Amino acid sequence: MNGKGEFILDEEDLERILNLVEKSDFNYLELTANGVKLVVSKTPFQGSSPSSIHSPEKETPPQKSSYDIQSGSREAPEEHQAQAKITVKDVSDEGKVYVRSPLIGTFYRAPSPGAPPFVEIGDMVNEDMTVGIVEVMKVMTSIKARVKGHITEVLVKNGELIEYDQPLFLVEP
Amino acid sequence: MNRISRILIANRGEIAARIIRACRDMGISTILSVSQADKESLPAQLADRTICVGPAPPKDSYLNVDYLITAASGTHCDAIHPGYGFLSERPELVDACEKNDLIFVGPSSENIRKMGNKLTAREIARECGLPTIPGSQRVERLKDAIDATEEMGLPVIVKAAAGGGGRGMAIIETMAQLQSVFDALSFEVHSAFGDGSLFLERYFPNARHIEVQIIGDRFGRVIHLFERDCTVQRRHQKLVEEAPCPVLSAEQRTNITRAAVELAKSIGYESCGTVEFIFDQDTDKFYFLEMNTRLQVEHPVTEEITGIDIVKEQIRIADDYPIGYSQEDIHMDGHAIECRINAESCYKDFAPCPGLIEHWRPPQGKGIRLETHCFSKYKVPPFYDSLLAKLIVKSNNRNEAIDLMHTALKDFVVQGINSTVPFHIALFEHPDFLKANINTTWLEQVFMLQFRGKNESN
């Protein structure tokens, strides 16, 4: 919001809203004002299913101020929960653990252009900490570390196309 | 033109390999979208690059439009080839391609929508002057279905308006059967296709399935590549296809191919496609059944008798080239037959049989063509359809083609998993099939009873 009572979302607002939703018991938030539509959902990403709430672009051209944020969370679908368990293939020879991409898409290291990255080499992360974002057709999904430890290696560049299950970070538990 | 220099192939298995090879010949680079289960597949090895779009279940990988568009755009592809099955007849993919500046190798979304609904398709065909099967409009309630059946006379076939791939159908021979089947089918169809609408058509018990391959371009030209006969079916699934149809007269061939071309022209069809007909052998009349707006599994038999590479033509047309042939250039030569070799136990009601292929030794020789993604030690994943290979033979005439197929099948070694090779060998020894004296119910009502009997007494 700005001082003139106009409804403008900036990155700070967005982060605040995201944090609030993340901590709340609500799974879904939809906010529309002055042609700006914000959809925040903790429910699993449903791709292009017609009933999906993540596809406002289908009817209207994409707006710069329209965000779709979906956060990988405790409500993740079964297969995502399965991923949450650390499996043998996730562990490198030196006992380090790979953080892998939950989706195909464009990888972002920071919440917005110019902002500092979510994590850097040497940072301590825990299971629920966001380490990056993957964007599929303008839908953003946050990537959780799913492991506790220090980041020892960043394996992909900001803005790079990442594949499903691609290793993104190496973490020393 | 020449806009396509890199294609994303949004499919798997033998058809992905087929498309990759066509692209290579045309100097087009290939990106293959793979699920996690297909990362080591043969097409993955043939493609210039693979991109993993999701886990094994199709809905999380091969059926997700957003993932495939992201994969194509992210790897700087110019076009997407959908193959068959999966998203090949989903207008949503075509629309998404358009929105993202990608060329869809196939018809327009409007073409797909029109032909995707069987009732709409039937209406268009009727307006076009094609003979259509006498049938009802959409029926919601059992009472309407009974009324329609009384008007048409038994037997009838109940179909899903949104159905496809042989699913969502029931043949009704008595009124009692209709009453017991109707509600269950409506429910099944609703959960499978999201649309529970049913309609009824007169059922022809002594019919052949004949389909015409057509190609249209973006300049309004449509040609046909003659017909295929796909009468050997089990539960509406094709198992053997041949070209040309062994029972059509020259005049009937002219009529059926002309009808197909007229239909395609009337909707401005601009890709390869197939117009399917029922040919009633009691009256020698043919009726429009449906149109498939994609490359079909059995396209190779047509390629064998005409010499046209349908996949390459399809890609050229998508790239705005006119068809490279006129109708006068197209001639039939010889006879071609295709067997679908599936990972199924033909002695156990065709139960799917995925797993490790210990040994794979396909037949070779003059006139033998194999479209496959399998090799020794390949593990057939359980998530997808059971097609292992298409064995295609081409010879001077039908009898020679049958002999060649029989020999080729006997040379085909598949160890580790069950395949339908033994079923096909028995089929190619059966006098009814050899004489082309069959209809669409023959396999289940005649052949399978004998096949089962023989193997039980062994």
Side-chain angles (χ1 to χ4, degrees):
Chain A
M1 299 273 194
N2 68 3
K4 292 166 200 156
E6 280 174 62
F7 187 78
I8 295 170
L9 273 179
D10 61 27
E11 277 145 22
E12 227 182 283
D13 291 331
L14 199 60
E15 261 185 81
R16 276 207 325 257
I17 293 170
L18 283 182
N19 281 330
L20 284 170
V21 175
E22 185 98 352
K23 283 173 197 146
S24 78
D25 291 326
F26 295 106
N27 284 329
Y28 180 77
L29 169 79
E30 194 173 321
L31 193 63
T32 313
N34 293 353
V36 177
K37 185 177 177 188
L38 174 73
V39 180
V40 182
S41 169
K42 287 183 183 175
T43 51
F45 176 56
Q46 290 300 324
S48 64
S49 92
S51 60
S52 170
I53 49 160
H54 303 292
S55 317
E57 286 86 6
K58 269 188 182 150
E59 290 82 31
T60 53
Q63 295 167 356
K64 218 182 171 188
S65 47
S66 159
Y67 292 87
D68 265 9
I69 307 280
Q70 187 262 320
S71 90
S73 70
R74 286 160 214 102
E75 283 78 27
E78 271 171 47
E79 55 263 33
H80 286 227
Q81 271 181 354
Q83 273 174 41
K85 290 175 200 129
I86 303 300
T87 54
V88 178
K89 65 162 187 159
D90 288 326
V91 182
S92 77
D93 293 344
E94 303 91 45
K96 293 175 184 174
V97 177
Y98 289 113
V99 178
R100 289 171 182 269
S101 173
L103 293 170
I104 179 183
T106 309
F107 174 71
Y108 296 110
R109 285 197 59 194
S112 61
F118 289 106
V119 287
E120 296 277 18
I121 291 173
D123 282 0
M124 181 74 188
V125 295
N126 61 38
E127 288 85 347
D128 289 335
M129 199 178 271
T130 297
V131 292
I133 286 174
V134 56
E135 181 203 330
V136 192
M137 306 296 288
K138 301 186 177 66
V139 178
M140 310 285 179
T141 301
S142 60
I143 303 165
K144 302 290 178 188
R146 301 202 316 264
V147 58
K148 198 171 176 175
H150 286 98
I151 302 269
T152 61
E153 228 176 298
V154 182
L155 303 164
V156 283
K157 291 192 196 81
N158 188 60
E160 205 175 290
L161 176 73
I162 50 172
E163 300 180 37
Y164 169 75
D165 210 35
Q166 184 174 336
L168 307 174
F169 300 94
L170 205 50
V171 173
E172 191 167 8
Chain B
M1 285 195 243
N2 289 327
R3 298 172 301 162
I4 301 179
S5 61
R6 183 178 293 168
I7 289 185
L8 180 97
I9 293 141
N11 215 300
R12 62 176 304 283
E14 64 85 20
I15 197 63
R18 166 79 183 90
I19 298 164
I20 290 167
R21 292 197 174 103
C23 289
R24 277 181 174 175
D25 287 355
M26 298 171 80
I28 296 170
S29 72
T30 52
I31 312 282
L32 181 70
S33 54
V34 293
S35 77
Q36 209 170 16
D38 284 332
K39 279 178 143 176
E40 314 293 329
S41 71
L42 180 69
Q45 294 167 45
L46 295 176
D48 294 326
R49 185 193 159 176
T50 62
I51 178 152
C52 184
V53 290
K59 72 172 172 58
D60 301 320
S61 47
Y62 297 111
L63 288 174
N64 189 304
V65 172
D66 288 350
Y67 296 173
L68 295 166
I69 296 280
T70 303
S73 301
T75 53
H76 310 290
C77 287
D78 313 297
I80 295 186
H81 196 305
Y84 55 68
F86 293 128
L87 294 171
S88 59
E89 287 175 290
R90 297 276 183 89
E92 304 92 283
L93 177 64
V94 188
D95 291 339
C97 280
E98 207 166 286
K99 245 163 97 179
N100 290 277
D101 284 326
L102 290 160
I103 296 165
F104 177 75
V105 182
S108 67
S109 61
E110 194 200 346
N111 282 171
I112 295 178
R113 280 198 179 91
K114 276 184 178 163
M115 290 299 156
N117 184 297
K118 292 183 179 180
L119 282 171
T120 315
R122 194 177 69 186
E123 206 43 52
I124 293 169
R126 185 177 294 149
E127 281 166 19
C128 209
L130 266 65
T132 54
I133 302 172
S136 74
Q137 290 303 315
R138 210 171 279 263
V139 289
E140 308 277 341
R141 294 170 307 157
L142 176 62
K143 192 187 170 307
D144 302 330
I146 292 171
D147 289 349
T149 305
E150 276 169 356
E151 205 183 304
M152 264 182 284
L154 288 160
V156 295
I157 182 162
V158 189
K159 293 183 180 178
R167 296 179 62 204
M169 294 187 205
I171 295 160
I172 307 291
E173 274 153 357
T174 65
M175 278 295 180
Q177 230 179 339
L178 180 62
Q179 294 186 349
S180 69
V181 157
F182 189 83
D183 287 335
L185 188 67
S186 178
F187 180 77
E188 180 203 316
V189 159
H190 188 269
S191 48
F193 306 108
D195 174 1
S197 307
L198 299 174
F199 67 102
L200 291 88
E201 277 180 349
R202 190 199 293 163
Y203 179 68
F204 297 98
N206 186 23
R208 297 186 85 96
H209 176 112
I210 300 175
E211 56 185 36
V212 178
Q213 175 73 55
I214 57 104
I215 306 182
D217 65 18
R218 294 184 171 163
F219 304 91
R221 179 191 275 178
V222 178
I223 62 167
H224 71 82
L225 303 182
F226 299 102
E227 81 285 356
R228 295 184 284 262
D229 186 310
C230 317
T231 302
V232 179
Q233 298 186 3
R234 181 182 168 272
R235 298 191 181 162
H236 308 290
Q237 301 290 329
K238 297 163 187 170
L239 292 169
V240 173
E241 300 98 346
E242 57 186 301
C245 168
V247 303
L248 278 192
S249 69
E251 191 193 345
Q252 286 163 342
R253 174 165 298 121
T254 305
N255 292 339
I256 204 167
T257 51
R258 186 187 293 147
V261 168
E262 271 166 24
L263 177 68
K265 269 189 178 159
S266 79
I267 60 165
Y269 192 77
E270 41 189 41
S271 186
C272 65
T274 300
V275 185
E276 298 192 336
F277 297 91
I278 285 292
F279 182 71
D280 180 15
Q281 297 185 108
D282 292 337
T283 59
D284 275 1
K285 282 185 179 151
F286 64 84
Y287 300 90
F288 169 77
L289 185 63
E290 62 180 60
M291 180 168 180
N292 294 320
T293 54
R294 56 172 153 82
L295 180 68
Q296 271 190 290
V297 176
E298 58 271 26
H299 73 275
V301 289
T302 299
E303 294 185 326
E304 290 303 316
I305 63 157
T306 60
I308 310 289
D309 188 314
I310 295 172
V311 179
K312 284 186 194 167
E313 276 307 307
Q314 188 190 22
I315 294 168
R316 290 181 73 258
I317 288 161
D319 205 358
D320 276 350
Y321 283 91
I323 301 171
Y325 308 86
S326 67
Q327 190 66 64
E328 292 70 44
D329 299 331
I330 311 294
H331 301 284
M332 279 194 312
D333 171 50
H335 199 94
I337 310 179
E338 171 182 285
C339 286
R340 298 193 192 189
I341 311 297
N342 294 337
E344 292 167 0
S345 314
C346 45
Y347 304 124
K348 289 179 191 160
D349 207 24
F350 290 81
C353 186
L356 181 70
I357 300 176
E358 294 285 359
H359 189 49
W360 175 263
R361 198 202 63 198
Q364 293 176 352
K366 186 177 181 296
I368 295 173
R369 168 176 172 186
L370 192 78
E371 296 288 345
T372 188
H373 58 294
C374 294
F375 48 88
S376 287
K377 304 296 175 198
Y378 172 66
K379 204 171 175 187
V380 180
F383 311 102
Y384 314 108
D385 76 49
S386 58
L387 184 66
L388 294 174
K390 303 185 306 204
L391 176 59
I392 303 124
V393 300
K394 155 82 190 290
S395 202
N396 296 319
N397 55 54
R398 187 168 189 266
N399 287 340
E400 284 180 25
I402 287 172
D403 286 347
L404 181 56
M405 180 64 89
H406 188 247
T407 315
L409 285 163
K410 289 207 148 180
D411 274 352
F412 207 147
V413 177
V414 184
Q415 284 166 1
I417 60 171
N418 291 323
S419 83
T420 50
V421 168
F423 156 84
H424 283 292
I425 292 173
L427 183 68
F428 278 77
E429 289 168 356
H430 199 288
D432 291 350
F433 178 77
L434 302 190
K435 283 183 282 185
N437 185 24
I438 61 167
N439 58 43
T440 46
T441 65
W442 172 81
L443 189 81
E444 282 175 280
Q445 292 182 359
V446 180
F447 178 80
M448 283 314 292
L449 302 181
Q450 297 169 3
F451 182 66
R452 268 186 223 120
K454 239 183 226 167
N455 289 290
E456 271 157 21
S457 62
N458 276 354

